[in-house]
Amino acid sequence: MSLDTISANSPMSDVFIGNESLLIQCATLWRDTGGGIAAIVTRSREIALWATEAGHSVIASDGDLATELGTLEFDWLLSVANLDMLGDAVLRLPARGAVNFHDGPLPRYAGLNAPVWARIAQEPRHGITWHMIETGADTGDILVQRMFAISRTDTALTLNTKCYAAAIESFGTVIDKLGSDTPAVTDQDLSQRSYFAKNDRPAAAGRIDFAQTARKITTLVRALDHGDYWN
């Protein structure tokens, strides 16, 4: 099913949950291609304002989501730039399933701050993954994945920007797949999995060791450079 014909059949309805501007981009594309939006779940003032002005219902992320979303009927739950783990009671609500955006190539870079860890490891390539949500963190089947090159001059900021662009570029494919009766997915090879937790830190808490090579030092500095953005 193409983007131009998504609304020819009964339109899919979904709930978006997230706290960054990527949600707005994806929700806009979803809506513009005929999808319905049952609610936007967020703790971001900017997203809540956008959603209200666009005529969408807004639910606070910190509320009782199982109860508040339980009053709605929707096909998909789409987690976009959302770091909150969703409980089973919430995951059972959508009629067809739940999908998460992850800013790293699964299964190798599960967890948080994937672009930073990939840059520290001097990976030549990185990527993003749209995957089905299971109870475990970043363990669900892969729906869509996009890979791209990492430059030696990439910082955490520029690599996150590449992830953002890849997410928007690939979301049309996500919509197409979700519109099929049985979305095609790929199992993760969990034997290749690595996971980075919230409190994981680089060696020596990121302090510069001037006994290291110049390349290792500049790589670390760039990997921790988020520009003016909060992390």
Side-chain angles (χ1 to χ4, degrees), residues 147-161:
M147 299 295 294
F148 46 82
I150 297 178
S151 166
R152 286 193 178 186
T153 60
D154 269 329
T155 64
L157 175 61
T158 61
L159 196 50
N160 271 295
T161 300

Side-chain angles (χ1 to χ4, degrees), residues 82-85 100-104 106 109-118 126 137-138 160 193-201 226 231:
N82 164 54
L83 299 182
D84 297 335
M85 292 293 290
N100 180 59
F101 166 73
H102 180 66
D103 59 355
L106 296 176
Y109 280 89
L112 301 180
N113 297 306
V116 171
W117 292 109
H126 192 60
D138 301 332
N160 271 295
R193 174 180 167 89
S194 60
Y195 181 83
F196 299 91
K198 177 180 179 180
N199 293 324
D200 286 347
R201 296 291 184 270
H226 292 269
N231 176 264

